[in-house]
Amino acid sequence: QVQLVESGGGLVQAGGSLRLSCAASGRTFNMGWFRRAPGKEHEFVAGITRSGANTDYTDSVKGRFTISRDNAKNTVYLQMNSLKPEDTAVYYCAASATKWPFTRLGDMNYWAKGTPVTVSS
């Protein structure tokens, strides 16, 4: 059974930074972060391949967010800088055994419970 455990969400002022972490049990996967803002559908945020050689971002976070991974710790990170109120959402870490690239949470095999991020103006 694969488990994904997130940490790092919270409340931050606009312009601030947060780093989300997601520790995975078991094998190594292609990993991604998705988010769901109040009243909206799940949205792809960022993805990284199993080796870390390739990354992908949605346009609205390019230049502000960075996805990375430490395979020795089986952990993926999302560094979020220059946060905006519109980044407020519940953020979900997710794992894909085979799919790359991916843009939908439905493409993923496993996902975590979600961690809230609130950016105040």
Side-chain angles (χ1 to χ4, degrees):
Q1 181 71 16
V2 174
Q3 287 189 323
L4 303 175
V5 180
E6 301 157 323
S7 60
L11 173 64
V12 64
Q13 288 188 329
S17 298
L18 281 175
R19 188 176 83 155
L20 305 182
S21 300
C22 175
S25 65
R27 47 186 284 216
T28 305
F29 298 90
N30 295 327
M31 300 293 292
W33 290 94
F34 294 77
R35 65 187 179 187
R36 186 171 187 177
K40 295 188 176 181
E41 298 294 320
H42 286 98
E43 175 191 26
F44 167 75
V45 177
I48 188 167
T49 53
R50 194 175 274 106
S51 68
N54 299 97
T55 59
D56 191 21
Y57 299 91
T58 193
D59 285 346
S60 63
V61 308
K62 286 179 181 176
R64 300 189 298 123
F65 291 12
T66 302
I67 189 170
S68 62
R69 67 189 302 157
D70 182 343
N71 283 345
K73 297 180 180 180
N74 217 7
T75 299
V76 64
Y77 305 97
L78 185 68
Q79 178 66 44
M80 305 186 293
N81 298 329
S82 301
L83 282 160
K84 304 176 181 179
E86 51 264 45
D87 294 317
T88 294
V90 177
Y91 283 71
Y92 299 86
C93 168
S96 171
T98 58
K99 184 76 173 175
W100 179 267
F102 43 73
T103 58
R104 300 179 304 117
L105 192 58
D107 291 334
M108 315 305 282
N109 299 107
Y110 308 97
W111 50 89
K113 294 181 179 180
T115 185
V117 171
T118 303
V119 184
S120 63
S121 57

